[in-house]
Amino acid sequence: MNRTIKEKIVGYFLFLSLCTIVIFEAYSLYSVKYYYYSSIAGIMENQIRYSADIYSTYLADYRLEDVIIQEKDQFYRQAENQVQILDNSGLVLYDSIASPEIGKQLTTPDVEKAKDGTDGSYVGQPLHTDHRVMSITRPLFSRGEQVGIIRLTTSLEEVEYLIFHRYVTFFAFGFTAIIITGLISVLMANSVVKPINELIDVAEKLSDGQLSVRAKENNYDEIGKLGHTLNLMTDNIKEKEQLKNDFISSVSHELRTPLTSINGWAQTLEYDPEDTQMVKEGLKIIEGECTRLSDMVEELLDFSRFTSGRITMERNQIDITQIVIDIVKQLTPRGKSSGIDLVANYDPEHIIILADESRMRQVLINLVDNGIKFTNKGGTVMVNLEKKEEHILIDVIDTGIGIPKEEIDNVTDKFYKGSSSRSHTGLGLSICEEIIKLHNGKMKITSKVDEGTKVTVMIPVGEIDEV
C-alpha cells in the first residue's frame, strides 16, 4: 500500500507477464512431452497391432508355448523394440533381450489391462534399468479366446534427452522474456511517472507562490489534460490574485475620498459649531458621503456574493412595466437636481415576466443612475421598454459624455473605471451583467464620445401563468 506508482506499475506488469509466461511455458512443456510420447506410442501401437494380427491369422492353431519353443517368431520379429510374451496371468514366458523379468509375473497397469482383454500402456522405470521406458500391451486371441499377452517396450532415454533440451530452450526463452519485460515495465513506468513528477514539482512551486511556472501540455493523454487543468487552475489563481489586488486598491482609494471628506467636515464643524449655515452644509455633505459609502459597501457585498457563487435568484411573475415607471419616478428628483430630464417610453399594456424583482430594480437603478452620472446638465436619459416575441428589451439611452471606443469592451470588467473621473468602484456594470446572465439574458453597450451611450438589456419573458 505504501509503494510508489512506479513500483506498482512495474510490479503489476511483471506479475501479469510472469503469469502469462508461466502459463505459456507450462503449455509448451506439456505439448512437447505429449508430442514425443504420443509419437512413440503411435509407432508401437502399429507394431503391436501388426504382430497380434499375424498371430491370429497364421499361428492361432499353435499353443503359445509351442510357438515360443519352436521359435515361430515371424509374428513379432518385425518389432524393433523389446518384445515380451506373457500368459494370461501376466507371467513372462519370453523376453527378446532376456531381461531379469523372464519367469516373473508382471503387475504393471498395462499388463493388468491386457489381462482384462484390452490394450494397455505404461510409462515408468523398471528395477532392472536406470532409465524410463514405455510399454504397450495387447491380448493375443486364438479362435476368439485369449491365450496370452504380447508386450512391446522401448527406452525413453533418447526421447527424454531431446525433451530436456527443449525444456532448457523454453526456460531460457522464459527467463529472457521476463528480463525484457522487466526492462520494458521500468521504461513504461518512467514514461508515466516522469511527467507526474514534473506536475508535482510545478504544484509544489505553485504552493510556494511561484505563479509564473507552467506545466507541460505537449501530451494528449490524461497527464497532458492534467497539466492543462493545472495551468487553468494557475491562471485562475493569478486572476483571483489580481482581482484581490484590484479589490484592495479600489476599495482603499474609494473609501479614502469620502472618509477624508467626512473627517474634514467633522473637524470644521468642531472648530466653529456656531455657524448654522456651515453646519447645515457640512451635515448635508457628511450625509451624502455616508450614503455614498453605504452604496459602495452594498456593491462590494454583491460582488463578493457573485464571485463566491452564493447569489441566488428568486423568480416570480413581476410587472416589469411598473418597475420601469417606479424607477424613473424614484430617480427623477435626482435628475432634476442635476439638470437632466428622465423620460420613460412603454406600451399601455403592462408586460409580465418571470424574474427576481429586487435584482431587476437593482439593474435598472444602476443603469439609469449611470446615465445621470455621466450626462451633463441639460441632457436627457431615456428608458424604453418593449416586448419582442419571447423577450423584453430595455434600452437606457443618455446624451452624456460617452465611452471611448478603446474602453467599450472593458466597461463590464470588475473594477474597471476607465478614464472618466466620475467612475467609482467599477463594479456597477459588472454586477448588472452578472444579474442579467443569471436571468438567461444579454446586455449590450454601444457608445460614442460626446454623443451618449445606449445600454440594451434583453431578458426572456419566461413561462407566465395565464389568469
Side-chain angles (χ1 to χ4, degrees):
M1 294 300 294
N2 296 324
R3 293 185 302 170
T4 63
I5 293 178
K6 180 177 180 180
E7 291 172 341
K8 289 180 181 179
I9 292 175
V10 173
Y12 293 150
F13 195 77
L14 277 178
F15 176 75
L16 180 61
S17 301
L18 184 61
C19 290
T20 304
I21 291 171
V22 167
I23 293 173
F24 173 77
E25 291 280 331
Y27 175 77
S28 300
L29 296 178
Y30 170 79
S31 299
V32 168
K33 186 174 181 179
Y34 176 80
Y35 170 77
Y36 281 107
Y37 276 29
S38 60
S39 298
I40 294 173
I43 295 172
M44 293 178 66
E45 286 172 357
N46 289 331
Q47 291 176 350
I48 201 170
R49 187 183 304 112
Y50 174 78
S51 298
D53 290 343
I54 291 294
Y55 177 83
S56 299
T57 304
Y58 299 105
L59 302 173
D61 293 336
Y62 295 91
R63 290 188 313 118
L64 193 58
E65 292 82 356
D66 295 337
V67 171
I68 296 171
I69 293 172
Q70 296 175 18
E71 297 184 352
K72 294 183 180 295
D73 58 354
Q74 62 265 32
F75 79 96
Y76 58 79
R77 65 188 175 186
Q78 299 297 328
E80 300 176 357
N81 306 300
Q82 177 188 1
V83 181
Q84 292 177 320
I85 306 298
L86 295 73
D87 62 13
N88 285 333
S89 66
L91 182 67
V92 179
L93 303 177
Y94 171 79
D95 192 322
S96 63
I97 64 172
S99 72
E101 292 179 337
I102 296 177
K104 294 182 179 180
Q105 193 168 18
L106 302 182
T107 58
T108 54
D110 62 314
V111 175
E112 295 296 326
K113 280 191 173 184
K115 289 179 184 180
D116 296 333
T118 59
D119 296 347
S121 63
Y122 164 73
V123 175
Q125 185 172 339
L127 296 175
H128 63 278
T129 64
D130 57 356
H131 53 268
R132 288 161 61 84
V133 299
M134 177 184 290
S135 297
I136 302 293
T137 58
R138 190 180 183 90
L140 296 173
F141 293 93
S142 176
R143 294 183 178 86
E145 182 182 354
Q146 182 174 335
V147 296
I149 300 170
I150 183 171
R151 187 178 193 238
L152 299 184
T153 302
T154 186
S155 172
L156 296 176
E157 183 176 10
E158 293 184 4
V159 172
E160 293 198 334
Y161 179 76
L162 291 174
I163 293 175
F164 172 76
H165 277 278
R166 297 293 186 276
Y167 282 6
V168 170
T169 302
F170 284 132
F171 281 124
F173 169 78
F175 180 76
T176 304
I178 291 174
I179 296 298
I180 294 174
T181 300
L183 294 175
I184 292 175
S185 64
V186 171
L187 292 175
M188 288 179 59
N190 286 334
S191 68
V192 173
V193 173
K194 183 179 178 182
I196 292 178
N197 286 332
E198 291 176 352
L199 291 179
I200 292 174
D201 183 58
V202 171
E204 289 176 346
K205 290 179 179 178
L206 290 176
S207 66
D208 194 39
Q210 303 178 40
L211 301 181
S212 60
V213 296
R214 305 285 293 180
K216 293 182 179 179
E217 299 182 28
N218 52 352
N219 296 326
Y220 295 97
D221 53 14
E222 288 79 0
I223 295 178
K225 291 180 180 178
L226 181 60
H228 177 67
T229 304
L230 190 61
N231 288 335
L232 289 178
M233 184 185 71
T234 304
D235 293 339
N236 189 38
I237 293 173
K238 291 169 70 175
E239 182 180 348
K240 297 294 184 184
E241 186 70 17
Q242 184 62 41
L243 199 62
K244 183 195 73 174
N245 293 335
D246 292 342
F247 176 83
I248 294 173
S249 175
S250 178
V251 170
S252 299
H253 174 74
E254 294 301 327
L255 291 181
R256 185 182 297 113
T257 303
L259 287 175
T260 301
S261 177
I262 291 172
N263 183 57
W265 273 102
Q267 291 179 359
T268 300
L269 296 179
E270 183 181 19
Y271 175 75
D272 189 6
E274 302 298 331
D275 190 339
T276 305
Q277 183 62 33
M278 185 174 65
V279 169
K280 288 182 179 181
E281 183 179 351
L283 290 176
K284 184 177 180 180
I285 292 175
I286 290 174
E287 181 183 2
E289 294 298 327
C290 287
T291 301
R292 181 181 170 192
L293 283 174
S294 177
D295 292 341
M296 289 171 57
V297 169
E298 190 61 34
E299 279 191 345
L300 293 173
L301 288 175
D302 272 343
F303 165 72
S304 175
R305 295 188 192 103
F306 280 112
T307 54
S308 63
R310 291 184 289 109
I311 194 71
T312 57
M313 296 288 109
E314 296 183 4
R315 289 182 174 86
N316 296 293
Q317 293 186 115
I318 62 172
D319 186 341
I320 189 65
T321 305
Q322 189 60 49
I323 291 175
V324 169
I325 295 171
D326 293 343
I327 298 303
V328 171
K329 286 182 178 180
Q330 177 183 341
L331 295 179
T332 294
R334 184 175 169 218
K336 286 184 176 180
S337 66
S338 301
I340 298 169
D341 291 331
L342 263 66
V343 181
N345 298 315
Y346 49 86
D347 293 333
E349 184 177 350
H350 285 208
I351 303 172
I352 306 298
I353 67 170
L354 191 65
D356 186 315
E357 181 174 352
S358 63
R359 292 298 175 183
M360 289 305 301
R361 286 182 179 274
Q362 181 180 354
V363 169
L364 289 173
I365 289 173
N366 197 300
L367 295 180
V368 175
D369 182 71
N370 274 352
I372 296 171
K373 186 191 304 179
F374 293 99
T375 301
N376 295 324
K377 187 175 182 179
T380 302
V381 176
M382 184 182 301
V383 181
N384 298 330
L385 171 65
E386 66 174 320
K387 183 178 180 181
K388 193 172 183 180
E389 296 179 351
E390 298 301 319
H391 294 78
I392 61 160
L393 295 179
I394 302 175
D395 293 325
V396 179
I397 306 168
D398 66 59
T399 58
I401 62 174
I403 304 170
K405 185 177 180 180
E406 62 273 11
E407 296 180 5
I408 195 76
D409 292 332
N410 301 320
V411 291
T412 57
D413 292 347
K414 299 176 180 65
F415 301 111
Y416 184 82
K417 293 184 287 186
S419 57
S420 174
S421 59
R422 306 184 191 184
S423 300
H424 286 178
T425 61
L427 290 173
L429 288 177
S430 175
I431 293 173
C432 287
E433 187 176 50
E434 292 294 335
I435 293 174
I436 293 168
K437 285 181 179 178
L438 289 174
H439 282 85
N440 300 316
K442 297 179 181 178
M443 184 174 75
K444 181 181 179 182
I445 301 175
T446 56
S447 182
K448 287 186 178 180
V449 176
D450 297 330
E451 291 187 15
T453 301
K454 177 181 178 181
V455 181
T456 301
V457 174
M458 183 174 68
I459 295 178
V461 173
E463 297 183 3
I464 305 302
D465 298 330
E466 295 185 4
V467 181

